[in-house]
Amino acid sequence: AAFNATTIAGQNTANTFSGFGTPSHQSIVSAGKYIYYLSFLGGIPHIRRMQRTLYGAILDGGIMSLDIETTMKGLNFSKLNLTAGVYDGKYIYWAVPSANSSINDTVLVYYPPLVTRGPLGEIRSWVKWTGINPNQFFLSTISGRTKIYFGDSGTTGKVFLVDTSLYRENGTALRLTATARHYTQYATGPRKSKYKYVYTKYESDLGGTLVLNGRIEKAAAYTQQDSWSTAGTSPGLGPTGSFTLGVSTLGGSSISERRSTLAQLTGHLLGLKYTESTSNACEIYDFQIMGLKKALRNG
């Protein structure tokens, strides 16, 4: 009861707090020359990075998860101690608890090498998985080579293999959702834009169905704008087909482009979301938006 702590002679009172430290030791992942970890500094949890220099000094590499800050804000702050991470040599996986969940029900997948420059700075590669509940990751060579497994934190008590070559989870088709940042053609001024077309470049011959959704001014819900098959359009075989040996390419071109007409989407901010709900692969390379600036009117 009589215990108290007193700073002696101002010691350490002028040091800058670097943010090293984590609510979960299982979130610490070594990948190459960096150490990644979950940090809860500044009121919002984030994935941060550290690096040891040639001379042994530790440098703070900054925040890696700024692009997904909305997701990080939505985590269950009181259960961050459950966070678990692992590195498979290419991707880093973190299992985290979302919202009011008392278990890890969300997996954040990070690809460290992919960093691009955007108008607001660096953009990193993040993917969010839901529908699985890892309480701990581990590496095993039972299959003859190193693979990642995880124990289920729900009620099943099963152990699952992390296999990205499949597009279904325990028999259920995986759903892809790719949500773009809100797009504004004219960042300043009172004029609105009338968004006309979206040009999507995607991988064909995959057999799925790609759906384009849109919304204006951050509306509560997206509305479907277009839907199309990602199956290839190569010439048919057989006596009725037009395939010519030595000329035609079986499977056709592997990259296709789709022009989608937007349904009267007029405003300042345009939001786009792609979904694909079959047990097939899906790859979106690029999308471009065409819009017209509306003229000003008197009155």
Side-chain angles (χ1 to χ4, degrees), residues 10-192:
Q11 183 180 2
N12 294 330
T13 57
N15 286 352
T16 300
F17 185 49
S18 61
F20 297 167
T22 176
S24 173
H25 69 281
Q26 292 189 110
S27 74
I28 303 173
V29 177
S30 176
K33 61 181 179 180
Y34 298 107
I35 296 292
Y36 298 86
Y37 63 101
L38 177 68
S39 172
F40 196 6
L41 176 67
I44 301 173
H46 271 292
I47 301 298
R48 300 180 69 98
R49 185 178 72 181
M50 289 193 304
Q51 176 185 358
R52 183 181 294 275
T53 69
L54 181 63
Y55 304 101
I58 299 295
L59 296 180
D60 182 9
I63 296 174
M64 301 294 106
S65 56
L66 193 61
D67 296 310
I68 56 170
E69 187 167 79
T70 300
T71 297
M72 304 305 291
K73 286 180 181 178
L75 300 183
N76 188 345
F77 293 176
S78 64
K79 295 294 182 179
L80 293 178
N81 60 299
L82 301 177
T83 301
V86 70
Y87 177 53
D88 68 355
K90 183 177 182 180
Y91 301 107
I92 306 177
Y93 307 82
W94 281 282
V96 293
S98 68
N100 298 319
S101 176
S102 60
I103 62 175
N104 294 332
D105 61 348
T106 300
V107 177
L108 305 176
V109 186
Y110 178 52
Y111 184 46
L114 184 57
V115 179
T116 59
R117 297 292 302 181
L120 301 178
E122 292 184 344
I123 301 174
R124 303 180 185 277
S125 175
W126 284 95
V127 174
K128 180 173 70 174
W129 293 352
T130 58
I132 59 176
N133 310 304
N135 62 349
Q136 188 176 34
F137 291 103
F138 54 93
L139 300 175
S140 173
T141 58
I142 292 177
S143 65
R145 61 186 179 91
T146 303
K147 293 184 178 181
I148 295 179
Y149 296 80
F150 67 86
D152 184 74
S153 58
T155 59
T156 66
K158 295 181 179 180
V159 174
F160 291 92
L161 166 67
V162 178
D163 187 354
T164 56
S165 66
L166 300 177
Y167 305 100
R168 57 185 181 275
E169 169 64 25
N170 202 20
T172 302
L174 295 178
R175 176 184 175 88
L176 164 72
T177 302
T179 305
R181 295 186 178 191
H182 281 83
Y183 176 85
T184 176
Q185 187 178 8
Y186 299 95
T188 59
R191 298 187 181 186
K192 295 182 178 180

Side-chain angles (χ1 to χ4, degrees), residues 244-263:
T244 303
L245 187 63
V247 177
S248 302
T249 301
L250 188 61
S253 174
S254 62
I255 299 178
S256 299
E257 186 175 69
R258 172 83 171 190
R259 189 184 80 170
S260 302
T261 302
L262 300 179

Side-chain angles (χ1 to χ4, degrees), residues 254-276:
S254 62
I255 299 178
S256 299
E257 186 175 69
R258 172 83 171 190
R259 189 184 80 170
S260 302
T261 302
L262 300 179
Q264 301 297 322
L265 296 182
T266 301
H268 294 100
L269 293 177
L270 171 65
L272 295 177
K273 180 169 69 173
Y274 292 90
T275 59
E276 207 285 324

